[in-house]
Amino acid sequence: MQLLADQNAVVILEKTPIREDVLAEIFTASTLKLQMRNDIYSTYSLHAPPHLNEIKATVMCPATEKHVKKYQRKESFLVEETAQDYESITLPYIKKQSFSVQWVYNILDKKAESERILFEDPHPKLGFVLLPDFKWDQKQLDDLYLMAITHQRDIKSLRDLTSQHLPLLENILQKGQEAILKHYSLPASKMRIYLHYQPSYYHLHVHFTKLDFEAPGCRVERAHLLADVIQNLRSDPNYYKTRNLYFPLRADDGLLSQFKEAGRL
Ligand code: M7G
């Protein structure tokens, strides 16, 4: 956490993947300092020219206490949430405590990021906006990360989905895949398309990441493949309303305290 102009800020600094097209310049224009050599093995510290040394910086300012917590490393605990737990513990908590989704409305209303939109289906019930997630700098396909945000504003998360949302989910899957094939020549077989439960932002959205990229949050305890979600709702219209769902919560997450207080952990 940093202070920017007296306001709390979260600043994330990331070294981005090295692109193949800059390798030749890295090899010819960098300076090398030998660190160790042993037989056929050697390590160096390589100083690349400044324009090849970019650091991606993401800034959240002013950051709420919840933003600061989200980005601090903390141990996690797996929670089992029954349908009853959702109604009595999770839902009241997220109604009071969740992050603002103003940034999502800004995207849907074209007040922000409109030039980044890759595809839009404007239909009020079935439509969505597909755009790069802010985790992706779009400089290389290796860490491709897009997000589909629904125009419908009243679906909080996976838990709200029933078979009545199948046309919406099928539309996102099909048109999202088509748009990605058209723009990036990546077929469906190269993509991981999923929802998070719990999400950080309670407005339905779907993550599209390249299959070979281990995106943060793509592990089994948090990611639900959209294709599986569709199948599950086809076999049971109330699958996500009735099932126990499992997800990790960080030690300092207020929702975890609520589960503990209710004797559910
Ligand atoms: P999530 O599953 O609600 O939570 O996903 P997570 O952040 O814990 O994964 C929200 C997704 O929206 C994440 O992949 C974020 O990187 C992305 N995201 C968050 N914000 C605030 C923005 C934003 O302002 N613009 C864009 N393009 N993506 C964002």
Side-chain angles (χ1 to χ4, degrees):
M1 188 194 43
Q2 294 287 315
L3 282 175
L4 291 182
D6 287 341
Q7 290 180 313
N8 279 343
V10 171
V11 181
I12 304 167
L13 300 176
E14 288 164 287
K15 299 253 190 187
T16 49
I18 296 167
R19 298 198 313 271
E20 210 172 320
D21 59 317
V22 300
L23 282 183
E25 197 180 348
I26 289 188
F27 289 139
T28 50
S30 304
T31 56
L32 278 181
K33 226 160 91 195
L34 181 69
Q35 290 182 326
M36 74 94 196
R37 194 195 303 276
N38 181 353
D39 191 36
I40 61 166
Y41 309 98
S42 45
T43 64
Y44 298 86
S45 87
L46 180 150
H47 295 268
H51 68 280
L52 298 179
N53 232 343
E54 185 181 311
I55 293 179
K56 176 174 185 278
T58 309
V59 178
M60 296 166 210
C61 182
T64 64
E65 202 182 317
K66 201 166 148 75
H67 285 100
V68 174
K69 276 190 185 164
K70 174 170 154 81
Y71 291 96
Q72 279 168 343
R73 281 186 216 287
K74 273 270 171 342
E75 67 175 321
S76 298
F77 297 87
L78 192 74
V79 170
E80 179 182 30
E81 180 197 70
T82 63
Q84 168 61 29
D85 293 333
Y86 177 71
E87 291 301 330
S88 62
I89 306 173
T90 310
L91 187 57
Y93 181 79
I94 60 184
K95 278 190 177 153
K96 286 207 304 263
Q97 291 283 336
S98 54
F99 284 126
S100 157
V101 289
Q102 188 55 48
W103 66 273
V104 172
Y105 297 157
N106 290 347
I107 290 172
L108 296 176
D109 296 338
K110 314 290 154 36
K111 292 183 180 153
E113 304 190 53
S114 54
E115 69 297 342
R116 287 157 49 88
I117 294 176
L118 197 77
F119 173 81
E120 175 169 16
D121 176 342
H123 193 282
K125 281 255 169 248
L126 305 182
F128 64 97
V129 167
L130 181 71
L131 84 171
D133 191 286
F134 77 171
K135 289 199 199 91
W136 185 40
D137 66 6
Q138 301 180 71
K139 296 217 169 113
Q140 58 284 308
L141 291 187
D142 310 63
D143 57 344
L144 177 135
Y145 200 141
L146 302 163
M147 193 183 8
I149 302 177
T150 58
H151 275 300
Q152 271 199 65
R153 297 190 178 198
D154 56 351
I155 314 170
K156 287 184 284 307
S157 74
L158 186 68
R159 260 294 181 213
D160 283 344
L161 294 175
T162 65
S163 56
Q164 74 163 52
H165 300 110
L166 278 170
L168 167 69
L169 300 172
E170 286 159 351
N171 195 40
I172 294 176
L173 185 61
Q174 192 205 328
K175 295 202 179 132
Q177 285 171 336
E178 283 168 10
I180 288 170
L181 182 63
K182 187 167 155 226
H183 278 81
Y184 304 109
S185 305
L186 284 174
S189 59
K190 297 302 296 173
M191 297 300 301
R192 182 190 294 113
I193 304 172
Y194 55 100
L195 292 90
H196 277 159
Y197 193 75
Q198 301 282 335
S200 296
Y201 303 97
Y202 289 87
H203 174 114
L204 194 77
H205 56 275
V206 177
H207 301 256
F208 288 72
T209 61
K210 192 155 175 257
L211 186 65
D212 302 323
F213 168 49
E214 286 231 2
C218 77
R219 296 196 194 144
V220 289
E221 71 276 27
R222 190 149 183 242
H224 297 252
L225 280 183
L226 179 57
D228 279 337
V229 172
I230 290 173
Q231 298 269 341
N232 290 336
L233 290 173
R234 280 190 194 138
S235 39
D236 175 357
N238 285 317
Y239 187 94
Y240 291 101
K241 291 258 180 221
T242 53
R243 294 288 294 211
N244 292 2
L245 293 175
Y246 300 83
F247 48 84
L249 287 176
R250 291 157 42 102
D252 59 354
D253 194 315
L255 185 55
L256 186 73
S257 320
Q258 302 289 308
F259 271 85
K260 280 186 180 155
E261 270 173 36
R264 296 288 296 116
L265 203 82

